[in-house]
Amino acid sequence: MRPWILSEINYGFVKDCDYQVAVLPTGATEPHNLHLPYGTDTFQAEAIGSRVCEAAWDRGARVVMLPPIPYGTETNQVKFPLSMNLNPSTLAIIIRDLAESLTHCGIRKLLILNSHGGNEFKPLLRELHNQTPCRLFLCDWFRGISADVQREIFEDAGDHAGEMETSLGLAYFSEFVDVDAEGKITADDGAVNETRFDAVNQGWVSITRPWHLLTRQSGSGNPHPATAEKGRQLMDVLVERLSTFLVELAESDVDERFPF
């Protein structure tokens, strides 16, 4: 039994443990090129979340990782079979209800550990700010918290099923990564198509990208330079940075000036 994993512990333990912080991993169910499983984002969120919570627990923080949400927003991948969509408004209701459940049992600090780029939770944090006593925090692990080391570890981290995600897959759920008889991953090079608008291609104007027009096999970013060692290097950084935050969060009282 790992006391920081809610799905593994029992009421006999929970009723006597004063949990301070909850961590909610969020993922998706969608294709990741030809080689990674549909559950890639959820597997990543679980792998990162469980190790982060373990490291924080070992430093005295009473953190609990909730079971992950395995579905995300997939409106732009509708053309790919079994891309399982939850609209942003649906996800917002789910997280609001979970925050209410935490508040009822005395946990007033929640970190959303997001592993899917299609899940945009910042507007939700703004909406719920004055609607719940539970203080919400968000970490998209593939963005700011790891941006500097991505440039050091990877040739090109990639956007979706590229070098970074494939490296994590090789390190933490390799049994689900498809390889050929020679051990080479069965993927294309993750090349993407440009739109007809230069402003969109330059990033000056944003759109929701129709994934079947953007990509050939759903991958965006070359996965072939990936290695398990690169995945472990990234994980070490994420665990150190996020567990430190969780320790600080657990030690902080929710008062009238929180989080300042």
Side-chain angles (χ1 to χ4, degrees), residues 20-40:
Q20 302 156 306
V21 179
V23 175
L24 175 62
T26 58
T29 300
E30 62 179 2
H32 280 72
N33 208 316
L34 298 173
H35 63 298
L36 290 179
Y38 268 59
T40 289

Side-chain angles (χ1 to χ4, degrees), residues 162-164 166-167 170 185 222-228 230:
E163 184 182 356
M164 180 170 66
T166 301
S167 293
L170 291 171
I185 58 174
N222 184 13
H224 292 285
T227 66
K230 292 177 181 179

